[in-house]
Structures are given as structure tokens and as C-alpha cells.
């Protein structure tokens, strides 16, 4: 008989934790417990990928009536109903959470709706007062969006808050230039919100291919997003509070004149930027980073090492410095993508419960940014590839048939980075409608080590945007 209550106790009911728990219980017969302090499904299902993608779909309908009219359809512009959409969105998230709970119970996993923290290397203490022991503990507590350390930061929202808005703001300032900031800038603009975006860097989407992110920035501006790079906020406060201060010192009011001051409106937030401009917005969204959920979990006291930003340090098998404690997903801050967390969870079960040491390959992972247009990417950027070896760049940018016929300015980008020595495709970057779907398939070939000549031998599907991936015969440039 085991000396522990469980063979495995999982902290976190997101995609990675749930997969590991149910596979360990269902396929190996392990006795498994799992604690989740919030909703089952985690960031991806409840406050990330899934609701965000549904909002992307909703936002894309904004331009369809005008495009349809270009194709001869008598279609009138409509009005977006946030209340109706949010009601259906909430119902879908409830359904998905129910699926996750059912998967756990169906596999024989004991679920606890409670916050868990480590008491020692084999003991978990729940917020309900219960104490559980386990031979192995898997931490899959994920991450959370963070606010900057500045006065009145609580006036701004973070990405989690967007899914709970009672109504859409008329105007919003989004602070940040990463994929979350850019995706929500496009989403909210498509839903009819006046969107302004500040990013302190020289160009949005840092870390992605320079040419691709430049095209997306241009497209966002073309659509009407007021994007300001090299810009950050200095201070923020409620407009009504600021006005009271101005009344006490009326001379200061001079700085608010002209086009630099927008407003006022009830409950507006007044923001001063590094460029000196002062504006008011109905809402402010901070999309300036995420942090692992490791605070007050008793980890360091139990001997678990935390790295930069509070991430749990693990080896290639997801094992921490404490042999009985493992961690997967965003809490380790390796590759923060849901499919990666799921693979890490599966590899953990193979390694620990099936006696089959299994590594997760974190190289050449395809990903997508759901801006408008989308970006799909895998492998090295042109800049990174050129630093390591001589390369050829095959690239084309054009207006696709569908948008050109409708006389829209939207352009797409197809780009391959090729090693001169091996001829292998080192990177692929697509900016186009449906780029996320395209990069999944291109990713298979690139993961297999396809060469540029393999792409060339593939017959094109005509007429499509993606045929350009196999018809670019001559390099655009070398580096």
C-alpha cells in the first residue's frame, strides 16, 4: 500500500495539467488528484486563446459588408451587439469548462476547487484546509498578465478583464507592442472601438521577422488604428480627479489645449505620454507582459528553485531541483504556448509513469499571431538566420485576388529563409488572411527538414495565395 494519498497531485487545471492528470490516471492507473483555484481550462480556454479567437472571428465581420458589395451583393452595414455576443461567449466557455471537468472525472481524477501550495516535497496544502500527500507533484499553475509598477495602474485593464466587460468602451488606449497588444488592437477596432496603441519600442511585435511585422504595422494603421511607436505613458489618472487639480492650479490648464486633449467623458482616464501629449480614453489596457503564477506557493521553502520573473527552473524532463516536484507550461517560462504545455504534460507522464524517458522538442514550433491580417511563423527570422550563416531570402508581397478585386489595399507576404550550405528552409513567415492555417501545414515540411528544392518540386494550387510558397524561383536577396 502506498505511503501517500496520491501517486500524482497536479496543481493547475489548465490544458497541460488536465492532460497530464487524466492520462496518468486513465492510461497508467495512477491515483491522481488535481487542484484548481479558478475555472478549469486555464488561460487558453477561459481567458486566452479560445475566447480571443472567437472575438477575432466576430471582429472580422466588420469589413465584410463593404467587400460583399464589391462583389455585387446588396448588403447593408450592421451594428455589433456586444451584449449578445458576450452572452454566447460565456455560454461556450461554460460548456468547455464542463468538458474539462468531465474529462477529469471520467478518468478517475479527484478534483479540488481550491488553491494549493506546497507544504514540503510530498505535501500539498489546500485553501479548504485539507492536506494531501503525493509521491509526485506536478505544478501547472500557468501565468498571469501583469500591470506596470506606476501610480494608478489599477485604473487600467489587463487582458483577463476584456472578457468580462459589461459594455464596449468608445475609445481605448492599448499599451504594449507584443502579440497580445496587437491582437486586441485589431479585435477591438473591428468591433467598433476607437483604438490607440502606444509601444515604447521602435516597431511592434519584437522578436518576429522584421519585414513581416512591418507589414502588419502598416496594415493596422491603414485600417485606422492610431499606432504610436517610441511612445510610452508617463502618468494616468481619472479625468475628473485631474480636473479638480487643474481648478486648484488653473495656469496648468494651458498644456491641455489643442488637438492633444481629447475628451472629457464620464469616467474617462487621462493619460500623459512620453511625447508630451495628454489624451483621455474610456479605457486603458495594459498588455505589457505576463508572469508565472508562483507567488505564495511555498515553492522556495520546499527547495524548488525560481528563476527570472519567478519561473520554476526545470531540467529537460521538466523536473525541478526537488526530485518529486515537476513543472510544465507557462509557469516554467520556456515556450508559452498551449500545445507545448500539453506536450510537456504528455512527456511527463511517459517519463514518470510509463518508464519511458521522453523529451519535448522545443525547436521549430509553428505559431500564429491573430492580427488582421494574421501572421504565421516557424523557424528563424531573416535577421537571426543571417547572424548564424549565409542565407538566401525568397520573398514576395502582393495584393491577393480577393482583396484586389474589391479594391482594398491589403497586402500579403510570403517569405522563406534558406540556408545556402544545406538548402534547408530555416524559416517561413506568412502575413495573410488564414496565415495560421497555412503555417501549420508548412511547419510539417520544415520540421521534416525540407529544402528549397523540395518546395520547388511541389506543384502549386492555383489560384491561391499560398501557391507563392512553391513558385518563388529566384532569391530576393542574400545575406
Amino acid at each position: 500500500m502506498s505511503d501517500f494519498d496520491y501517486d500524482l497531485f497536479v496543481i493547475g487545471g489548465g490544458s497541460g495539467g488536465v492532460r497530464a492528470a487524466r492520462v496518468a490516471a486513465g492510461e497508467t492507473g495512477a491515483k491522481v488528484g488535481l487542484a484548481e483555484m479558478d475555472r478549469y481550462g486555464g488561460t487558453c480556454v477561459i481567458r486566452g486563446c479560445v475566447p480571443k479567437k472567437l472575438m477575432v472571428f466576430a471582429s472580422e465581420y466588420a469589413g465584410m459588408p463593404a467587400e460583399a458589395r464589391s462583389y455585387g451583393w446588396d448588403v447593408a452595414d450592421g451594428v455589433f451587439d456586444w451584449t449578445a455576443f458576450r452572452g454566447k461567449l460565456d455560454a461556450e466557455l461554460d460548456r468547455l469548462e464542463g468538458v474539462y471537468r468531465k474529462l477529469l472525472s471520467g478518468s478517475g481524477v479527484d478534483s479540488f476547487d481550491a488553491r494549493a501550495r506546497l507544504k514540503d516535497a510530498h505535501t500539498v496544502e489546500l485553501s479548504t484546509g485539507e492536506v494531501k500527500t503525493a509521491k509526485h507533484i506536478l505544478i501547472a499553475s500557468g501565468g498571469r498578465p501583469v500591470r506596470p509598477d506606476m501610480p494608478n495602474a489599477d485604473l487600467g485593464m489587463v487582458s483577463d478583464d476584456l472578457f468580462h466587460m459589461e459594455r464596449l468602451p468608445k475609445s481605448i488606449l492599448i499599451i504594449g507592442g507584443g502579440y497580445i497588444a496587437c491582437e486586441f488592437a485589431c479585435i477591438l477596432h473591428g468591433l467598433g472601438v476607437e483604438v490607440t496603441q502606444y509601444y515604447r519600442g521602435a516597431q511592434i511585435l519584437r522578436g518576429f521577422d522584421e519585414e513581416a511585422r512591418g507589414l502588419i504595422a502598416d496594415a493596422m494603421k491603414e485600417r485606422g488604428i492610431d499606432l504610436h511607436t517610441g511612445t510610452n505613458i508617463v502618468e494616468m489618472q481619472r479625468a475628473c480627479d485631474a480636473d479638480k487639480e487643474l481648478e486648484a492650479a488653473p495656469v496648468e490648464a494651458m498644456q491641455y489645449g489643442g488637438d492633444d486633449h481629447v475628451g472629457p467623458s464620464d469616467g474617462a482616464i487621462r493619460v500623459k505620454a512620453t511625447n508630451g501629449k495628454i489624451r483621455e480614453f474610456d479605457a486603458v489596457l495594459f498588455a505589457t507582459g505576463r508572469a508565472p503564477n508562483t507567488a505564495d506557493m511555498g515553492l522556495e521553502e520546499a527547495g524548488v528553485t525560481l528563476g527570472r520573473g519567478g519561473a520554476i527552473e526545470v531540467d529537460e524532463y521538466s523536473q525541478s531541483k526537488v526530485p518529486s516536484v515537476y513543472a510544465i507550461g507557462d509557469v516554467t517560462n520556456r515556450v508559452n504556448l498551449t500545445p507545448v504545455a500539453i506536450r510537456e504534460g504528455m512527456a511527463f507522464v511517459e517519463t514518470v509513469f510509463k518508464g519511458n524517458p521522453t523529451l519535448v522538442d522545443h525547436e521549430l514550433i509553428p505559431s500564429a499571431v491573430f492580427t488582421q491580417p494574421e501572421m504565421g511563423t516557424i523557424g528563424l527570422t531573416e535577421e537571426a538566420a543571417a547572424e548564424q550563416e549565409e542565407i538566401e531570402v525568397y520573398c514576395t508581397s502582393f495584393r491577393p485576388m480577393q482583396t484586389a478585386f474589391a479594391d482594398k489595399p491589403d497586402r500579403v507576404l510570403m517569405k522563406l529563409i534558406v540556408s545556402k550550405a544545406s538548402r534547408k528552409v530555416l524559416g517561413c513567415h506568412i502575413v495573410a488572411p488564414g496565415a495560421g492555417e497555412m503555417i501549420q501545414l508548412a511547419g510539417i515540411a520544415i520540421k521534416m527538414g525540407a529544402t528549397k528544392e523540395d518546395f520547388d518540386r511541389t506543384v502549386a494550387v492555383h489560384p491561391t495565395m499560398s501557391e507563392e510558397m512553391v513558385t518563388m524561383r529566384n532569391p530576393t536577396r542574400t545575406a
Side-chain angles (χ1 to χ4, degrees):
M1 185 173 178
S2 173
D3 295 330
F4 302 102
D5 297 325
Y6 293 99
D7 300 308
L8 170 65
F9 199 95
V10 179
I11 300 177
S15 298
V18 168
R19 177 65 66 90
R22 68 184 186 87
V23 172
E27 295 186 8
T28 73
K31 188 175 183 183
V32 181
L34 181 146
E36 169 56 55
M37 63 179 287
D38 198 348
R39 299 185 65 181
Y40 287 71
T43 296
C44 180
V45 174
I46 302 301
R47 48 193 172 272
C49 322
V50 172
K52 176 192 71 180
K53 190 66 183 290
L54 292 171
M55 289 178 73
V56 168
F57 291 146
S59 68
E60 288 177 336
Y61 286 100
M64 286 188 178
E67 187 170 320
R69 288 193 291 270
S70 297
Y71 279 85
W73 288 90
D74 183 11
V75 180
D77 290 334
V79 177
F80 176 70
D81 187 339
W82 169 255
T83 302
F85 171 76
R86 186 190 159 190
K88 192 167 183 179
L89 177 65
D90 289 345
E92 176 64 4
L93 300 186
D94 290 344
R95 184 188 72 81
L96 291 172
E97 183 180 12
V99 169
Y100 270 64
R101 287 181 177 271
K102 188 174 181 179
L103 287 171
L104 288 171
S105 62
S107 300
V109 177
D110 293 338
S111 297
F112 300 90
D113 295 340
R115 191 179 194 279
R117 66 190 313 276
L118 264 62
K119 196 170 183 181
D120 59 43
H122 292 281
T123 308
V124 172
E125 186 175 22
L126 304 181
S127 56
T128 57
E130 297 174 272
V131 175
K132 303 295 179 182
T133 60
K135 184 177 182 180
H136 303 285
I137 296 172
L138 177 65
I139 301 173
S141 51
R144 69 189 186 283
V146 295
R147 288 178 172 83
D149 183 14
M150 64 174 295
N152 297 321
D154 59 303
L155 296 178
M157 297 188 293
V158 293
S159 58
D160 289 359
D161 301 321
L162 289 172
F163 309 114
H164 303 292
M165 294 186 296
E166 291 298 325
R167 56 186 176 84
L168 285 177
K170 291 182 179 179
S171 64
I172 190 168
L173 170 64
I174 298 178
I175 301 167
Y179 73 93
I180 294 175
C182 294
E183 286 175 339
F184 278 114
C186 293
I187 288 169
L188 292 170
H189 176 264
L191 299 181
V193 180
E194 295 177 11
V195 177
T196 301
Q197 183 176 353
Y198 290 170
Y199 177 52
R200 63 185 182 182
Q203 184 58 284
I204 58 171
L205 298 171
R206 182 172 63 89
F208 291 92
D209 185 83
E210 184 74 30
E211 196 168 10
R213 63 192 185 130
L215 193 153
I216 290 174
D218 290 343
M220 290 171 64
K221 293 175 184 177
E222 181 72 33
R223 288 168 182 263
I225 295 171
D226 188 15
L227 175 61
H228 298 262
T229 54
T231 306
N232 204 349
I233 63 169
V234 176
E235 59 186 48
M236 61 187 292
Q237 62 186 134
R238 287 285 181 199
C240 56
D241 295 335
D243 287 337
K244 291 177 182 177
E245 294 177 8
L246 287 176
E247 290 173 4
V251 176
E252 297 290 327
M254 293 295 291
Q255 66 178 309
Y256 294 100
D259 296 334
D260 292 350
H261 179 48
V262 180
S265 62
D266 293 339
I269 301 171
R270 184 168 294 168
V271 174
K272 182 177 181 180
T274 51
N275 59 15
K277 292 187 177 182
I278 297 173
R279 299 178 62 183
E280 290 178 8
F281 303 91
D282 290 326
V284 173
L285 170 66
F286 291 113
T288 50
R290 295 178 62 84
N293 284 325
T294 54
D296 191 29
M297 289 185 65
L299 298 174
E300 291 179 294
E301 295 87 339
V304 175
T305 302
L306 301 183
R308 184 178 179 182
I312 296 177
E313 292 187 354
V314 294
D315 65 13
E316 56 192 353
Y317 292 101
S318 296
Q319 188 176 38
S320 76
K321 292 293 184 182
V322 179
S324 59
V325 179
Y326 291 73
I328 60 170
D330 291 6
V331 77
T332 67
N333 199 28
R334 288 179 284 184
V335 179
N336 297 341
L337 295 170
T338 298
V340 174
I342 291 172
R343 289 207 170 209
E344 290 170 354
M346 295 288 287
F348 161 78
V349 174
E350 286 288 332
T351 300
V352 176
F353 288 94
K354 295 186 178 181
N356 177 31
T358 301
L359 300 175
V360 175
D361 184 357
H362 290 100
E363 299 298 320
L364 289 175
I365 296 172
S367 63
V369 179
F370 295 105
T371 44
Q372 295 173 17
E374 294 178 9
M375 174 164 61
T377 180
I378 182 173
L380 297 176
T381 65
E382 177 180 348
E383 296 73 35
E387 287 182 0
Q388 72 175 33
E389 62 179 290
E390 292 187 345
I391 60 170
E392 292 179 345
V393 178
Y394 296 80
C395 183
T396 182
S397 180
F398 56 95
R399 284 204 302 167
M401 180 188 297
Q402 184 175 0
T403 53
F405 185 84
D407 198 26
K408 293 173 61 179
D410 305 39
R411 300 184 67 83
V412 303
L413 173 77
M414 305 286 168
K415 185 172 185 178
L416 295 175
I417 313 299
V418 178
S419 166
K420 275 189 177 181
S422 69
R423 304 303 298 158
K424 282 187 178 181
V425 178
L426 304 176
C428 176
H429 311 283
I430 303 172
V431 178
E437 305 290 347
M438 287 187 244
I439 203 65
Q440 178 70 83
L441 301 180
I444 298 171
I446 293 170
K447 188 71 174 177
M448 292 175 68
T451 64
K452 178 62 171 66
E453 286 66 35
D454 290 326
F455 274 68
D456 294 342
R457 281 193 294 270
T458 304
V459 176
V461 179
H462 182 74
T464 65
M465 291 181 289
S466 57
E467 68 180 294
E468 296 290 337
M469 300 299 295
V470 299
T471 58
M472 294 184 289
R473 293 290 187 251
N474 300 312
T476 308
R477 56 187 171 273
T478 60

